[in-house]
Amino acid sequence: MVGEASMGESAQNETSLLSTLPKELPLEFFTEITSGFSKDRILRASAFGTFYTGILQNGLVVCVKKLAENLQIPAGRQFDNEATNLLVAQHENIVKLLGFCRQITKKVVEHNARFILVDKDECVLCYEHVPRGSLRDYLSDDKMVPKIADFGLSRFFNREQSRLYTINVAGLKGYMAPEYLQRGEISWQCDIYSLGVLIIEITTREKNCCDDKDKSGREYISSVRRTWTDEHITIKYMSLDADRLQQVKACIDIGFKCVDVNQKNRPSTVEIVDRLHGKRAG
């Protein structure tokens, strides 16, 4: 009991200290706490940017994400406004955004065999540190309280920009959309694909164990589609009544729609939420 109380007090103190951080911070602050965005501090990389371990002067650990240069962040105050909105998002399944930075720096680039000086947007987001890190580890816990990072990040796209392309394909194997892997194409439909795999994995309780040849998890999806018939669902969830069995079937059906190879056939978040609430598409 003493140990539990100490851990609880420590977590409360850490939360209290983190809440005192200014919300809009200079680039120099993030450069300092990541040792100059050192390679030794890299946690992981994605199409949206690179995560670094940040250590504050008081020893507290945070997660710092430096956004990729090709993200084409919207100009003016739109980035600041969106980041500020994300700061107030409070949910147990969302990794909390603690602060942010957008700063224009000068960079020398080569253009037409000449070196020129251009403006470069440096955009950084600072998140709470999630010790367990991997979503897969959270899905294996008894309490199952996964944390979603990059929540709302797609809102940083320009309104005219529905997708972008990258040559630096990186992500969690088994959850990456085919168009992202094959063409480096990034859009909101990529997120829907990843969500679909998660819904299937959580509902069936079967792990998506893929390899380098199946980074989209297509073999896993095909296996579930073959096995998880209505009869199989009934056998696996014998303790559930008819209404809850129908909910399980609906979740699996939603998951399959989300992982459609044709990204245009994937449902929107509104459609997914409506289905989860029992509403049928008109």
Side-chain angles (χ1 to χ4, degrees):
M1 291 296 292
V2 174
E4 291 180 3
S6 299
M7 289 174 63
E9 289 174 5
S10 175
Q12 288 178 357
N13 291 337
E14 182 170 329
T15 302
S16 177
L17 285 167
L18 290 175
S19 66
T20 63
L21 278 176
K23 303 309 178 187
E24 190 169 358
L25 295 152
L27 182 63
E28 291 75 18
F29 171 81
F30 293 111
T31 302
E32 180 181 347
I33 68 173
T34 59
S35 295
F37 295 102
S38 168
K39 290 184 179 179
D40 295 335
R41 293 287 188 90
I42 292 178
L43 293 170
R44 67 179 181 87
S46 73
F48 286 109
T50 305
F51 283 100
Y52 297 85
T53 297
I55 302 177
L56 306 183
Q57 288 185 347
N58 56 19
L60 293 180
V61 178
V62 294
C63 186
V64 176
K65 181 162 194 179
K66 191 174 184 183
L67 300 190
E69 292 182 27
N70 65 343
L71 260 191
Q72 299 179 28
I73 299 299
R77 295 292 301 175
Q78 187 179 343
F79 173 83
D80 296 351
N81 292 338
E82 294 291 357
T84 301
N85 290 336
L86 293 178
L87 283 167
V88 300
Q90 300 283 342
H91 195 279
E92 66 173 347
N93 299 122
I94 297 175
V95 178
K96 184 171 177 54
L97 181 66
L98 303 172
F100 66 94
C101 165
R102 177 177 184 165
Q103 191 167 315
I104 297 177
T105 60
K106 299 293 184 180
K107 180 181 180 181
V108 176
V109 298
E110 187 176 356
H111 180 69
N112 293 333
R114 296 177 58 192
F115 289 97
I116 58 174
L117 196 65
V118 298
D119 288 337
K120 175 187 175 185
D121 263 338
E122 298 277 11
C123 294
V124 181
L125 300 170
C126 181
Y127 292 98
E128 66 173 326
H129 181 252
V130 182
R132 193 174 297 275
S134 171
L135 178 62
R136 185 179 299 280
D137 291 335
Y138 271 97
L139 293 178
S140 301
D141 290 353
D142 292 332
K143 294 183 179 180
M144 286 191 69
V145 186
K147 293 274 191 177
I148 300 173
D150 286 347
F151 176 76
L153 194 58
S154 60
R155 290 175 62 87
F156 291 144
F157 287 128
N158 286 326
R159 292 186 182 276
E160 305 81 20
Q161 184 181 8
S162 61
R163 58 177 61 87
L164 60 84
Y165 295 84
T166 180
I167 59 173
N168 301 313
V169 174
L172 192 60
K173 288 188 294 186
Y175 300 87
M176 293 183 277
E179 68 272 13
Y180 171 56
L181 281 171
Q182 295 164 10
R183 303 186 296 275
E185 182 179 339
I186 307 169
S187 68
W188 64 267
Q189 288 101 333
C190 291
D191 290 337
I192 295 297
Y193 186 95
S194 302
L195 175 62
V197 179
L198 281 175
I199 291 174
I200 294 171
E201 193 170 11
I202 292 170
T203 309
T204 64
R205 295 179 294 188
E206 290 189 5
K207 287 189 176 182
N208 175 15
C209 300
C210 66
D211 54 29
D212 288 333
K213 296 180 180 179
D214 188 31
K215 292 183 179 180
S216 290
R218 297 310 304 177
E219 291 183 11
Y220 166 75
I221 294 165
S222 296
S223 174
V224 173
R225 196 185 294 275
R226 288 193 304 269
T227 305
W228 283 78
T229 60
D230 287 355
E231 182 181 359
H232 185 78
I233 293 171
T234 303
I235 294 172
K236 283 292 186 178
Y237 289 98
M238 293 181 64
S239 61
L240 298 184
D241 57 30
D243 183 57
R244 293 196 176 185
L245 275 176
Q246 189 57 43
Q247 291 177 24
V248 172
K249 293 175 184 178
C251 284
I252 294 176
D253 183 59
I254 291 169
F256 285 146
K257 283 182 168 58
C258 290
V259 297
D260 196 304
V261 174
N262 185 343
Q263 64 205 78
K264 294 180 180 179
N265 293 336
R266 295 171 201 160
S268 66
T269 51
V270 173
E271 291 169 333
I272 294 170
V273 171
D274 282 347
R275 282 293 311 277
L276 290 174
H277 282 93
K279 299 179 182 178
R280 289 282 180 177

